Amino acid sequence: MRVRAIAREDSLALAKLLPKRLSALCLRLATLLFPLLSVALAQGPAPVDAKAAGPGPEHRRILDQYCVACHSGAEATAGLRLDQADIERVDADEGMWEQVVHKLRTGTMPPAGMPRPPVSDRKALLSRLEATLDEAASRNPNPGRTESLRRLNRTEYRNAVRDLLAVEIDVESLLPHDESGHGFDNVNVGDLSPTLLDRYISAAQKIARLAVGSTASSPRTEIVRVRPDVTQERHVPGLPIGSRGGVSIPFNFPQDGEYEIQIWLTRNRNEEIEGLRRAHEVHLMLDREHAHTFTVRPPADRLDHSQVDKHLKIRMGVAAGPHHVAVTFPRTQSSLLETMRQPTQSRFNMHRHPRTAPAVFQVSVTGPYDPRGAGETPSRRRIFVCSPVALSEEESCAQRILSPIVRRAYRRPVGSADLAGAMAFYRDGRGGADFDAGIEKALTAVLVSPEFLFRAELEPDGVEPGGSYQVSDIELASRLSFFLWSSIPDEELLDAAERGDLGTPAGLEKQTLRLLADARSSNLARNFAGQWLHLRSLESFSPNARLFPDFDDNLRQAFREETQRFVESVLREDRSVLDLVRADYTFLNERLARHYRIPGIYGTRFRRVRLDERSRRGGLLRHGSVLTVTSYPTRTSPVLRGTWILENIFGAPPPSPPPNVPTLDNPVSAKLPMRERLRAHRDNPACASCHMTIDPVGFAMENYDALGRWRDYIDGVPVDATGGLPGSEQTDRGVAGLEDVLLERPELFVGTLARKLLTFALGRGVEYHDAPAIRRILRESEPGGYRFSALVLGIVKSVPFQMRKAT
């Protein structure tokens, strides 16, 4: 490709500008494209708290009780030998003692079934150990180490392109899936294979062409296909009231011109158009305005459907820029189906629940034909801050255009050397075409530059090996924006960083609250919460159609929307994060309300619904999304649900199964209650240590089936929801009992959420040395009731977020 060829020609000259500290990977990338430069400023250490007295003989006595309770070696399976631990030298092995603190706090030590020392003794030991560890951390802060180079993942890349060029892209079609680490896809992003680099180059060329408004020499075709399990019998969100089915597609037209739009209808296995028993109108709309009406009729012989929808295409003029292309049908019938049983909400299965009317299969857009220029689009308004009227003005205008773009793309102040690289690509593109082509070539180069693709944090000069240092304000600005927006800093944040405002507590808090108030912070509800709560797994969940015939993509998306809106309401209203555990409201549309058996909700629009005291909905543990992704396609799974709650809500994930565990020999009848089926795990010594903790948590959720519907009986047998969390005496109240324990011990859930947020913010797993920072966040947010903003501010002001450890 020409872009790569030009970069290779300049590689030797560009490599001379690189700092020697750059890794071999970055050096290879830099010689391909642009040099990766970074600014890092060292600042003073964090303030030191008053020194606390260390544990003494009395605490040794309490610890000995736990050793006896654990049979002195029971905890060895978790890497702990408390009978050999020196409690008077906690700072000699902080990692081990943080494990002890965590197990004491969550009640997972001693193991289930073992006698427990008095609660007062546990609290005394816990308080002294935490005070000692926090004092040691204040004297010698260990912020941990983030990767020096971290590639933008797909979500960050999409958001960065949107904020930089005002272009919405379908990033899933441009870049491959990112591998997750520690539960999030912004952790394992340090590599860039040659194949992935080619994908980034191809994506950059397409994005630059779309942003500038140029087009290829021949028309291109984009195809959007509707998922096969979408029910199209009723109104579809985004389409006019009175319509039925169809699809609404956001589409960015690159230039003014003629475009051909073609529609295909859904066929069954016999290649017949489903539900076509009479004539139907098909409406094509552009930006909710009627564009054309087609009519489809059954074939005369009722057999050959191959030509039925061939005429559903039209060529029409469209102005460049983002538009909504919609296809739908007028709703002409609303009578209830007369069946022996209540009809299902899903209608897409040919044999069990066939469609009663035609549905859209896919829509294609081809063009432009006879292009008439780029027109006035949001991206061109963002990019072209000037327009040269003479050849002599083009060079200076190109610099005015590229300077702010390079600054925001590289997320730091830029100088003439930084701009020289982009200008070289501009001149190359301009030489063979026009001014717009030169800008397009320069944008392509910026989008494939390591400065844009990678977030770099390099150690400043003078830092001792293994020492800790304060990250620069510029680096802090990127940490903040990628944490809250999963995107690049805006102009105001970069200006504040250049002025040094982020180095002051007031300035940092002001910018943090501003970013939280911005609409882009919905990233936390959709990107962070989507991974924390495993909502992304909904896309691949398909339950058994015989057992759960009422499941379709409409319900799948309603599950996701309820949870995302619920989390975002806590963020936007700055509520206590404990409302995520129990709340008196949720968000529903008619489809989801029918699934939950909540009356009085009509239409596809989601709205906030207040719940009464007897409602079985509310907090996250009662959401259909969570209950579904923790189930199997054929049944519930107390093991999956228990593990999910222990890891993501309670904060005490069970260890991985030991290697070479033999398969249980005795077959278990599927007709037995779930509790009896899992008894073999609890009776097996190799499995009991974990399942005695996991299973009771999952059993407490058994009133909800695999799709999150409430049930009192299973095959005529009353549901036994007896169970609870580790260290809890409440075992007979089901999900309400779990919520009670979490609210009585709020530090467990809030601490878990803080750890998940810190992992997401740093792009690395939380380690033992981060525990003092987590405890400080909890202490400072407790007086205000653990409001969401307090947790975010606590993370932003923490040692791990503001500092970094040198190699």
Side-chain angles (χ1 to χ4, degrees):
M1 293 182 183
R2 179 61 177 162
V3 171
R4 190 185 304 173
I6 295 173
R8 284 173 175 165
E9 293 171 6
D10 296 338
S11 61
L12 293 178
L14 295 174
K16 295 179 181 179
L17 302 175
L18 294 171
K20 296 181 180 179
R21 298 187 303 276
L22 285 177
S23 68
L25 171 62
C26 184
L27 180 60
R28 177 166 59 86
L29 290 172
T31 55
L32 280 174
L33 300 169
F34 282 158
L36 180 59
L37 306 176
S38 179
V39 178
L41 304 176
Q43 298 181 6
V48 178
D49 297 334
K51 185 174 181 180
E58 176 63 17
H59 301 101
R60 176 75 256 181
R61 178 191 64 79
I62 299 173
L63 187 65
D64 288 340
Q65 297 180 54
Y66 280 94
C67 293
V68 173
C70 297
H71 292 279
S72 299
E75 288 296 320
T77 58
L80 296 177
R81 293 286 308 192
L82 301 186
D83 54 337
Q84 301 175 3
D86 186 355
I87 197 171
E88 297 184 7
R89 295 189 58 201
V90 171
D91 56 353
D93 193 350
E94 295 177 8
M96 184 202 72
W97 288 111
E98 287 290 2
Q99 291 185 60
V100 172
V101 165
H102 187 67
K103 288 180 175 292
L104 290 174
R105 178 67 68 185
T106 57
T108 54
M109 187 177 80
M114 296 297 178
R116 293 178 176 271
V119 175
S120 58
D121 285 354
R122 180 184 69 86
K123 290 183 176 180
L125 178 60
L126 189 59
S127 176
R128 181 49 54 202
L129 285 175
E130 288 181 342
T132 304
L133 289 166
D134 291 347
E135 189 274 332
S138 67
R139 284 187 285 106
N140 186 24
N142 183 358
R145 180 174 174 81
T146 56
E147 293 291 336
S148 296
L149 294 173
R150 291 173 50 210
R151 174 178 50 81
L152 302 189
N153 63 22
R154 287 201 308 187
T155 301
E156 294 167 341
Y157 185 86
R158 179 193 63 207
N159 294 346
V161 168
R162 176 201 65 201
D163 294 342
L164 183 67
L165 302 176
V167 172
E168 294 284 355
I169 61 172
D170 179 15
V171 72
E172 286 79 10
S173 66
L174 297 175
L175 299 174
H177 175 75
D178 294 302
E179 179 184 354
S180 293
H182 299 280
F184 297 98
D185 62 5
N186 64 344
V187 175
N188 295 331
V189 286
D191 63 330
L192 184 61
S193 65
T195 301
L196 185 55
L197 178 59
D198 284 341
R199 295 287 293 271
Y200 273 115
I201 293 174
S202 177
Q205 291 172 330
K206 183 174 183 178
I207 293 166
R209 184 168 57 246
L210 187 62
V212 171
S214 60
T215 185
S217 57
S218 60
R220 296 194 174 195
T221 299
E222 299 282 347
I223 298 177
V224 178
R225 186 165 294 173
V226 181
R227 288 186 65 126
D229 58 346
V230 173
T231 297
Q232 300 187 38
E233 308 297 296
R234 297 192 177 193
H235 176 256
V236 172
L239 295 177
I241 299 298
S243 65
R244 172 201 64 79
V247 63
S248 179
I249 306 165
F251 193 87
N252 202 329
F253 292 83
Q255 285 199 336
D256 296 346
E258 300 284 325
Y259 292 85
E260 183 177 272
I261 301 175
Q262 184 166 6
I263 304 161
W264 283 265
L265 301 182
T266 302
R267 286 170 163 76
N268 58 27
R269 296 178 182 176
N270 300 325
E271 290 300 315
E272 299 173 349
I273 293 178
E274 295 182 279
L276 185 60
R277 299 176 181 87
R278 59 176 179 82
H280 287 265
E281 289 185 352
V282 182
H283 290 181
L284 173 66
M285 294 183 293
L286 185 68
D287 297 330
R288 298 181 66 86
E289 296 289 336
H290 179 266
H292 193 77
T293 298
F294 304 93
T295 301
V296 291
R297 296 180 174 85
D301 59 4
R302 299 283 176 176
L303 296 175
D304 184 8
H305 286 241
S306 61
Q307 302 300 314
V308 169
D309 56 355
K310 290 293 185 182
H311 67 290
L312 302 184
K313 61 181 177 180
I314 185 174
R315 183 176 294 189
M316 54 188 294
V318 182
H323 296 275
H324 274 84
V325 178
V327 180
T328 188
F329 309 86
R331 184 168 185 175
T332 57
Q333 61 183 30
S334 59
S335 59
L336 296 176
L337 295 176
E338 296 184 5
T339 62
M340 294 295 293
R341 297 181 179 181
Q342 178 176 327
T344 62
Q345 297 295 305
S346 63
R347 287 279 164 184
F348 66 89
N349 188 301
M350 170 184 172
H351 296 291
R352 294 191 177 87
H353 307 289
R355 301 183 191 273
T356 60
V360 175
F361 171 63
Q362 72 178 29
V363 178
S364 70
V365 179
T366 304
Y369 298 96
D370 187 24
R372 297 186 291 271
E376 188 71 13
T377 65
S379 60
R380 286 186 64 87
R381 286 193 294 269
R382 174 74 58 83
I383 295 168
F384 290 94
V385 295
C386 62
S387 298
V389 295
L391 182 63
S392 59
E393 299 177 1
E394 290 188 356
E395 187 84 4
S396 60
C397 182
Q399 290 184 358
R400 285 185 59 194
I401 290 173
L402 294 175
S403 181
I405 291 176
V406 171
R407 176 176 181 261
R408 287 203 63 197
Y410 295 176
R411 306 175 286 279
R412 60 169 177 80
V414 295
S416 56
D418 300 298
L419 200 56
M423 288 299 296
F425 281 90
Y426 157 76
R427 296 185 190 100
D428 180 77
R430 175 66 181 89
D434 56 11
F435 181 77
D436 284 9
I439 296 299
E440 178 189 331
K441 197 63 167 289
L443 291 179
T444 301
V446 170
L447 293 177
V448 293
S449 166
E451 292 267 23
F452 175 70
L453 292 180
F454 280 83
R455 294 170 55 191
E457 292 183 345
L458 304 181
E459 299 165 15
D461 295 331
V463 178
E464 296 182 0
S468 300
Y469 66 93
Q470 198 90 7
V471 300
S472 70
D473 278 17
I474 294 296
E475 292 168 339
L476 192 58
S478 281
R479 286 193 175 194
L480 186 59
S481 66
F482 278 100
F483 171 32
L484 300 181
W485 291 349
S486 287
S487 185
I488 57 177
D490 62 2
E491 291 287 352
E492 183 174 342
L493 183 58
L494 277 178
D495 290 343
E498 290 185 34
R499 291 193 304 266
D501 292 354
L502 301 186
T504 66
L508 182 60
E509 180 172 339
K510 176 183 176 182
Q511 290 299 321
T512 301
L513 294 178
R514 183 182 68 82
L515 266 63
L516 266 180
D518 192 282
R520 284 169 284 188
S521 64
S522 61
N523 160 75
L524 287 175
R526 300 186 178 272
N527 187 21
F528 164 75
Q531 298 181 77
W532 165 43
L533 302 175
H534 296 189
L535 301 185
R536 292 184 177 183
S537 299
L538 281 170
E539 289 299 318
S540 59
F541 183 83
S542 294
N544 184 286
R546 291 180 181 272
L547 299 176
F548 304 101
D550 212 15
F551 184 86
D552 56 10
D553 189 64
N554 309 57
L555 184 60
R556 180 188 288 116
Q557 301 308 324
F559 280 158
R560 181 200 307 276
E561 192 69 18
E562 176 195 21
T563 304
Q564 289 178 342
R565 285 175 178 260
F566 180 62
V567 175
E568 187 162 6
S569 72
V570 174
L571 184 158
R572 291 282 169 234
E573 299 166 25
D574 198 17
R575 303 171 70 95
S576 169
V577 298
L578 294 176
D579 286 355
L580 296 172
V581 176
R582 176 176 289 164
D584 61 356
Y585 71 95
T586 190
F587 293 85
L588 303 173
N589 67 355
E590 181 179 354
R591 181 72 175 88
L592 189 56
R594 284 177 176 266
H595 184 74
Y596 288 163
R597 302 186 183 97
I598 297 177
I601 308 298
Y602 302 101
T604 57
R605 178 182 62 87
F606 269 84
R607 79 291 312 259
R608 186 172 181 145
V609 177
R610 183 160 295 279
L611 306 170
D612 59 41
E613 295 180 355
R614 297 172 298 173
S615 177
R616 294 171 177 129
R617 302 298 159 181
L620 289 174
L621 297 184
R622 302 168 184 258
H623 278 216
S625 59
V626 169
L627 296 163
T628 297
V629 299
T630 54
S631 297
Y632 288 124
T634 57
R635 62 170 176 83
T636 60
S637 172
V639 175
L640 291 181
R641 287 180 175 177
T643 301
W644 185 91
I645 292 172
L646 289 173
E647 179 178 352
N648 297 289
I649 302 297
F650 188 67
S656 301
N660 303 321
V661 175
T663 304
L664 296 177
D665 295 330
N666 52 328
V668 180
S669 173
K671 296 182 179 180
L672 290 175
M674 186 61 65
R675 190 179 297 270
E676 297 302 318
R677 292 189 230 174
L678 294 178
R679 184 179 297 279
H681 290 105
R682 300 191 299 280
D683 292 342
N684 188 308
C687 307
S689 60
C690 290
H691 281 274
M692 289 292 287
T693 300
I694 297 172
D695 293 359
V697 184
F699 289 147
M701 306 288 289
E702 274 296 279
N703 278 120
Y704 295 99
D705 71 6
L707 294 187
R709 294 174 298 194
W710 183 269
R711 58 188 180 180
D712 291 308
Y713 296 89
I714 303 177
D715 296 331
V717 179
V719 172
D720 183 1
T722 302
L725 292 165
S728 169
E729 297 180 358
Q730 297 189 30
T731 60
D732 59 350
R733 295 194 56 211
V735 65
L738 299 183
E739 293 171 341
D740 287 342
V741 172
L742 292 171
L743 294 176
E744 290 168 3
R745 302 161 65 188
E747 72 279 358
L748 297 176
F749 172 71
V750 180
T752 302
L753 177 56
R755 282 189 290 273
K756 295 293 183 178
L757 283 168
L758 188 61
T759 300
F760 182 75
L762 297 177
R764 65 165 176 82
V766 171
E767 304 290 345
Y768 74 88
H769 46 74
D770 299 312
I774 298 293
R775 287 192 287 270
R776 183 169 184 174
I777 292 169
L778 296 185
R779 288 194 301 269
E780 293 180 351
S781 61
E782 181 182 11
Y786 301 111
R787 292 191 177 275
F788 194 93
S789 62
L791 260 67
V792 170
L793 284 170
I795 289 171
V796 170
K797 295 177 181 179
S798 68
V799 167
F801 193 84
Q802 295 202 5
M803 299 182 69
R804 186 168 181 263
K805 190 173 184 178
T807 54

